[in-house]
């Protein structure tokens, strides 16, 4: 399916007759308000989680851009199809290389792609152009997650509109500044885990910080500093850096890694608490920019409606709810789930494995 003119339309890949027959009983019930249980049972063959060879075969071909024989012919598929296939291939190769480490799909992909030398020394990963993009995305993901947790922690420290524990901007600056270590910013930079090893190999500095940090706001500040250092020219190859900074990027964006790198330049010789206070100011300013961008007229009242959990009244901040601190989804777990449904991946004895079928269809090597 695809959306055209605001409505669902048939997509580029027509369903085979066997698949239409599979879903026909279920779709025929969709237009009815009341369905007897016995009729619903008869339509259960198309239910979520019920195996269907016809559906599995068709989805495998569509999602992996292959023909009925499991062969991929690039010119027969569009760019979006080839990109989707590349994502499956990269994950499959990561599982071949690191699946027995006992990690989930996302961490398995990080082990193979985000850090180390596999992206350049492994013949399968090195031959997939999209591997560079995944490296940039996974590295940027650390900075995005750090901002989300930092912002959620700041909002969590603020009270509601009833007046308990509302905060001034200065009190919010002090909240983070008081958690900052003694010394200047350059001292914090010197104490960061190494970002590179011999030959420019990327080392998992971000993972080290998450594993050894106390989980507090300053761990996230250090993650932002690592992202800033990785944004500098020459640290990442151009194709990786393009995705790390954003393909559509024309100049520095608010709170992106180059923005933080600019703060390093400005605050390098100043106390860390000064940088912490500045980060609070930047987060509050960005919150206001986002809120104003979402400003809408409320048709019920005719007034303006602000979509934000943080508000300011009489120069004091209050909240109407907390912010989420979970990482933005990368869809890697869902990719692995699809792979297991299609019989490309399996889990045995707590380890991820690519099946023989998956190795052949995805050309994932051994």
């Amino acid at each position: 399916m695809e959306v055209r003119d605001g409505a669902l339309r048939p997509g580029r890949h027509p369903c085979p007759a066997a698949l239409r027959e599979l879903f026909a009983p279920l779709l025929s019930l969709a237009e009815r308000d009341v369905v007897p249980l016995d009729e619903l049972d008869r339509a259960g063959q198309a239910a979520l989680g019920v195996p269907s060879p016809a559906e599995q075969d068709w989805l495998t071909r569509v999602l992996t851009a292959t023909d009925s024989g499991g062969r991929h012919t690039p010119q027969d598929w569009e760019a979006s199809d080839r990109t989707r296939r590349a994502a499956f291939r990269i994950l499959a190769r990561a599982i071949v290389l690191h699946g027995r480490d006992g990690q989930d799909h996302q961490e398995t992909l990080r082990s193979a792609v985000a850090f180390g030398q596999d992206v350049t020394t492994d013949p399968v990963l090195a031959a997939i152009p999209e591997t560079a993009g995944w490296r940039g995305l996974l590295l940027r993901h650390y900075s995005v997650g750090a901002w989300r947790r930092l912002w959620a922690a700041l909002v969590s420290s603020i009270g509601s509109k009833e007046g308990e524990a509302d905060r001034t901007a200065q009190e919010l600056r002090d909240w983070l500044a008081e958690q900052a270590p003694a010394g200047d910013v350059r001292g914090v930079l010197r104490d960061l885990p190494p970002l590179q090893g011999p030959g420019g190999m990327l080392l998992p500095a971000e993972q080290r910080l998450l594993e050894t940090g106390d989980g507090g706001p300053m761990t996230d500040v250090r993650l932002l500093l690592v992202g800033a250092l990785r944004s500098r020219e020459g640290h990442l190859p151009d194709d990786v850096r393009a995705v790390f900074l954003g393909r559509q990027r024309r100049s520095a964006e608010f709170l992106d890694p180059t923005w933080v790198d600019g703060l390093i330049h400005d605050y390098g010789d100043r106390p860390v608490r000064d940088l912490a206070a500045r980060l609070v100011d930047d987060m509050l300013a960005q919150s206001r920019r986002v809120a104003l961008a979402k400003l809408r007229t409320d048709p019920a009242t005719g007034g303006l409606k602000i979509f934000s959990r943080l508000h300011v009244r009489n120069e004091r901040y209050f909240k109407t709810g907390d912010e989420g601190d979970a990482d933005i989804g990368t869809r890697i777990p869902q990719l692995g789930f699809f792979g297991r449904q299609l019989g490309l991946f399996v889990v045995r004895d707590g380890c991820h494995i690519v099946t023989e079928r998956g190795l052949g269809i995805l050309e994932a090597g051994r």
Side-chain angles (χ1 to χ4, degrees):
M1 304 290 286
E2 64 182 37
V3 178
R4 291 199 307 272
D5 301 325
L8 290 175
R9 309 292 184 191
R12 293 185 288 110
H13 305 288
C15 290
L19 207 57
R20 291 197 298 269
E21 292 174 7
L22 174 69
F23 282 93
L26 183 62
L27 294 175
S28 67
L29 302 179
E31 61 186 9
R32 295 161 57 181
D33 295 328
V34 179
V35 178
L37 285 177
D38 60 333
E39 290 189 49
L40 196 58
D41 286 338
R42 288 196 295 273
Q45 61 180 340
L48 185 66
V50 177
S52 167
E55 183 182 20
Q56 185 187 61
D57 178 66
W58 180 74
L59 278 176
T60 299
R61 283 184 274 135
V62 171
L63 295 180
T64 65
T66 51
D67 59 24
S68 57
R71 293 177 296 273
H72 173 65
T73 306
Q75 59 267 28
D76 292 345
W77 299 88
E78 296 191 6
S80 59
D81 300 312
R82 296 192 294 272
T83 298
R84 185 170 55 248
R85 173 180 173 78
F88 271 106
R89 291 191 67 206
I90 292 167
L91 178 56
R93 187 57 181 171
I95 293 173
V96 170
L97 296 173
H98 299 280
R100 298 188 181 277
D101 296 346
Q103 300 173 320
D104 60 26
H105 282 128
Q106 182 153 303
E107 291 309 312
T108 298
L109 193 66
R110 284 190 198 277
S111 297
V113 174
F115 306 110
Q117 295 179 311
D118 288 340
V119 295
T120 55
T121 61
D122 180 73
V124 176
L125 290 176
I128 303 174
E130 290 82 0
T131 301
W134 275 102
R135 169 167 272 197
L137 181 148
L138 291 171
L139 292 174
R140 177 67 175 261
H141 194 247
Y142 286 108
S143 290
V144 174
W147 277 123
R148 283 177 60 83
R149 289 187 297 274
L150 200 55
W151 174 244
L154 184 147
V155 173
S156 179
S157 73
I158 301 173
S160 72
K161 63 181 178 180
E162 305 306 324
E164 78 281 5
D166 56 355
R167 298 282 187 264
T168 65
Q170 185 57 51
E171 288 172 329
L172 292 176
R173 295 186 197 103
D174 292 341
W175 165 81
L176 188 56
E178 289 169 1
Q179 301 181 64
D184 59 21
V185 173
R186 296 196 191 282
V188 173
L189 294 175
R190 285 193 297 269
D191 291 339
L192 291 174
L195 276 64
Q196 287 184 318
M201 178 180 65
L202 297 190
L203 298 177
E206 294 88 343
Q207 288 293 93
R208 287 273 307 279
L209 287 172
L210 289 171
E211 291 167 0
T212 61
D214 60 3
M218 287 311 300
T219 295
D220 293 313
V221 172
R222 290 182 174 91
L223 283 170
L224 294 176
L225 295 176
V226 169
L229 297 177
R230 292 209 190 276
S231 75
R232 294 178 176 178
E233 290 189 17
H235 182 82
L236 299 173
D238 290 344
D239 50 357
V240 176
R241 188 171 185 264
V243 177
F244 181 70
L245 296 180
R247 291 189 184 278
Q248 307 302 318
R249 182 179 181 276
R250 293 185 175 85
S251 59
E253 298 177 358
F254 296 116
L255 309 190
D256 81 350
T258 59
W259 178 282
V260 181
D261 194 29
L263 295 181
I264 291 176
H265 181 270
D266 293 342
Y267 286 78
D269 296 318
R270 295 173 60 175
V272 183
R273 60 179 295 113
D274 288 358
L275 173 64
R278 170 60 189 269
L279 292 175
V280 169
D281 282 340
D282 286 347
M283 286 190 288
L284 293 175
Q286 178 69 350
S287 171
R288 181 166 179 79
R289 281 189 290 267
V290 172
L292 291 177
K294 295 180 178 178
L295 193 66
R296 297 291 184 271
T297 302
D298 188 341
T301 64
L304 295 177
K305 188 172 184 178
I306 298 178
F307 296 89
S308 176
R309 292 186 176 92
L310 186 67
H311 305 269
V312 61
R313 176 181 58 197
N314 296 330
E315 299 185 352
R316 297 188 71 84
Y317 287 90
F318 67 91
K319 67 182 178 186
T320 56
D322 285 322
E323 295 281 5
D325 62 357
D327 281 332
I328 294 291
T330 60
R331 299 296 187 265
I332 297 169
Q334 290 83 350
L335 193 67
F337 178 69
F338 277 128
R340 292 197 302 274
Q341 282 190 314
L342 300 178
L344 306 174
F345 312 144
V346 294
V347 178
R348 293 178 188 153
D349 300 325
C351 299
H352 295 287
I353 297 173
V354 183
T355 64
E356 287 296 323
R357 182 169 183 263
L359 290 172
I361 289 175
L362 297 173
E363 302 174 282
R366 294 184 181 276

